[in-house]
Amino acid sequence: MGMIGVETAMAQHTITVYDTDRQPSVSTPEDMARLAGRVFPLSERIAGGNGEAFDLGEWFVNWRAQRGIAAEAPLPTHMKVEAADTFEALIPWEQLKEAAVLFALNGAPLAKGGPARLYVPNGTSECLNVKRAVVWRFLQDEEKRGEVSYGFKQTFTADEMRSKR
Ligand SMILES: Nc1nc2c(c(=O)[nH]1)N[C@H]1C(S)=C(S)[C@@H](COP(=O)(O)O)O[C@H]1N2
Ligand SMILES: [Mo]
């Protein structure tokens, strides 16, 4: 792999999280797994699943505590997950019970689907199991409560167009 390839691979090994305060925070999936406090085989949540995962909800509680957000603060209404290939999913909070984040296979970073893949066992569609999940946004949007969507992003900002050339 040449220099540019290595840099690209490293750049994609981080996840940028935006909470409802919209302040971004950049982490590696390994740091997120440590913050979650517990790692388990994906097969505990997904039949036939392979690799190591952490619980999204366990991570989320500790993530908010670390950021000084009060435990009684309102929960998000949705999580929006954006992938490196421009696939994205909007997932209602209620569907994220038991959601798991796959981040390693036999102790090594994911060669495919990395830096992390979200699995939503209580989701209305397997299409919500977003691979290469590089941006996570926790949203508060009462008007869209319960709304689900997924697919390839259709609109791009001028900056995004330039960076994709
Ligand atoms: N990044 C990304 N994640 C994705 C997709 C995609 O195109 N890109 N397709 C979704 C859809 S529509 C489905 S059905 C599942 C397919 O998962 P599989 O390849 O493990 O069968 O991945 C979902 N996650
Ligand atoms: Mo799908």
Side-chain angles (χ1 to χ4, degrees), residues 62-132:
N62 294 340
W63 143 264
R64 280 208 155 171
Q66 187 185 60
R67 287 168 68 90
I69 300 175
E72 58 275 16
L75 290 171
T77 57
H78 301 80
M79 179 184 185
K80 187 179 180 195
V81 184
E82 301 175 8
D85 61 352
T86 81
F87 187 81
E88 55 184 34
L90 181 70
I91 307 165
W93 191 254
E94 302 73 32
Q95 294 189 20
L96 289 167
K97 285 191 193 86
E98 308 276 300
V101 180
L102 173 72
F103 72 101
L105 186 59
N106 303 320
L110 300 177
K112 272 196 319 186
R117 181 173 189 182
L118 180 69
Y119 280 89
V120 188
N122 291 304
T124 49
S125 170
E126 288 188 11
C127 309
L128 302 175
N129 296 338
V130 180
K131 307 167 204 185
R132 302 174 69 194

Side-chain angles (χ1 to χ4, degrees), residues 38-61:
R38 183 173 73 102
V39 168
F40 51 85
L42 181 66
S43 58
E44 286 185 11
R45 304 274 171 96
I46 299 289
N50 247 321
E52 294 95 60
F54 60 88
D55 181 82
L56 180 73
E58 290 173 358
W59 166 82
F60 184 77
V61 166

